[in-house]
Amino acid sequence: MELTDLTAVQLLDGYRRGEFSPVEATTAALERAARIQPEVNAFARLLSEDALERARESAGRWRRGEPAGLVDGVPVTVKDILLLRGHPTLRGSRTVSADGVWAEDAPSVARLREQGAVFIGKTTTPEYGWKGVTDSPLTGVTRNPHDPARTAGGSSGGSAAAVALGAGPLSLGTDGGGSVRIPAAFCGIFGLKPTYGRVPLYPPSAFGTLSHVGPMTRDAALLLDVIGRPDARDWSALPAAPGSFVAALGSGVRGLRVAYSPSLGGQVAVRPAVAAAVRRAVAGLADSGAYVEETDPDLADPVGAFHTLWFSGAARVVQGLPPDRRALLDPGLREICGAGARLSALDYLAAVDVRMDLGRRMGRFHETYDLLVTPTVPITAFEAGAEAPKGSGHRRWTGWTPFTYPFNLTQQPAASVPVGADEAGLPIGLQLVAARHRDDLVLRAAHTLYTAGLTRGGS
């Protein structure tokens, strides 16, 4: 097995035993990243020199038996939305200048730095993370590792592709409407959108409390233990979790009440291969001791409210740009910014009312059910470079992602677990959703699917 095939846990075990070093693991990850870049385009930039310097420092600590933390020497990638000290964060946009000091880490990046992680690159994003596929005027199109003619999904598509192809086992993504879960499903990896506030976010997103930071990795519980710690710069951050997410994995799902909703009560047309793969995995949860009932949450599609919040957030992102800079924007982003600028404060507050009612409905739902299971996306990856599948009738990315954005509105933990592939070999994702603050249940259920051999990756 190559070093690039190992999980973070396996790398750490190898460092501990002296079988290989952080320098070897980092070199392998950088070589893999450089090899995949021409075809997949997962990286906005590679950080080879800095990464090898940090890897050498880590190797010295391991030789002395003094690792700095939980992920010392593990190669990590960071979506180019999150600040990484010493390197520009351009957000996929030609409107952002690379000039400047870039002297600050985002909270999640800071926690990883404190724990000895090795940052090997910034991964691609659509401009300002605005859509569910990854292409931008700055970096071009990011492609699917299973078929480069197809999209990796988005907006954390670069992170998903990098993890899927072994360019670092850990990655940080962001999720405002499915942006961790969609590419995780399309690329066949695990991705978690934690409870809002579990991972602090700074600078604050213009998309407000829709936006979450989340792990994209088979080692999600480990990564959440590292990054799920408070940061004074985020006033909405939660206190530290009472225990370790890694320690909770072994609790399994026996006795948990699971609601399986194949199509949100017939609201969503799901491709047969996707439906079949998800149903098989749900049967695996039942075989593992969960009480599974096919039922649907009491919710209507909140896409109108989501668009109001999302489009107005996008308008706020570009509000200060002069006309000549606006002309550089992705045309689709420019279009939704125009729509957002025409919304009133009353429109925004009406959308907040919809959001609050949706939260109430899901809160009541989880009084009965510990977990909700749906497909992550009703389709598999489609042609690269398009916001929506050709012939689908959808203009915006939200038309084909009805399972993901509702749970950004409610701020619940939600994850995509890889549970199979369609007839073309394209990955299929299952979505696990729990009540707010019950990230442990999502991780436990994902780990159960992994240990039962029902996934392509672990938690």
Side-chain angles (χ1 to χ4, degrees), residues 37-175:
Q37 181 64 5
E39 185 171 40
V40 176
N41 189 31
F43 288 91
R45 69 195 59 85
L46 288 171
L47 312 174
S48 302
E49 185 176 332
D50 284 3
L52 289 170
E53 180 179 351
R54 285 186 61 83
R56 286 190 288 268
E57 293 169 353
S58 174
R61 291 191 294 269
W62 280 104
R63 281 195 300 271
R64 296 190 302 272
E66 300 172 352
L70 294 175
V71 291
D72 197 350
V74 177
V76 178
T77 58
V78 178
K79 184 179 180 181
D80 200 32
I81 289 287
L82 298 168
L83 295 179
L84 177 63
R85 192 175 75 211
H87 301 281
T89 297
L90 302 184
R91 301 172 175 88
S93 182
R94 293 183 292 171
T95 69
V96 180
S97 172
D99 297 336
V101 179
W102 301 101
E104 199 166 18
D105 284 328
S108 51
V109 174
R111 300 295 83 77
L112 281 163
R113 190 183 297 277
E114 292 162 2
Q115 298 280 323
V118 174
F119 302 108
I120 67 166
K122 298 297 291 291
T123 55
T124 52
T125 175
E127 194 163 25
Y128 296 105
W130 80 272
K131 59 183 174 180
V133 294
T134 301
D135 58 74
S136 78
L138 182 66
T139 57
V141 178
T142 296
R143 299 178 180 276
N144 194 292
H146 298 269
D147 180 353
R150 298 176 187 262
T151 180
S155 62
S156 305
S159 286
V163 170
L165 290 170
L170 302 179
S171 193
L172 294 177
T174 64
D175 189 316

Side-chain angles (χ1 to χ4, degrees), residues 216-312:
M216 304 183 73
T217 171
R218 286 175 59 185
D219 304 282
L222 171 64
L223 185 48
L224 193 57
D225 276 343
V226 174
I227 65 176
R229 303 180 183 188
D231 189 288
R233 294 170 292 174
D234 184 353
W235 62 268
S236 64
L238 296 172
S244 163
F245 290 106
V246 170
L249 289 179
S251 300
V253 297
R254 184 166 298 280
L256 294 185
R257 302 158 299 173
V258 176
Y260 166 44
S261 178
S263 60
L264 295 180
Q267 296 183 71
V268 183
V270 178
R271 188 168 294 174
V274 173
V278 172
R279 187 175 291 276
R280 283 194 299 271
V282 170
L285 291 176
D287 291 342
S288 298
Y291 299 110
V292 176
E293 178 183 348
E294 188 167 324
T295 189
D296 304 301
D298 176 26
L299 59 89
D301 187 357
V303 68
F306 180 81
H307 280 170
T308 295
L309 299 173
W310 194 253
F311 293 177
S312 57

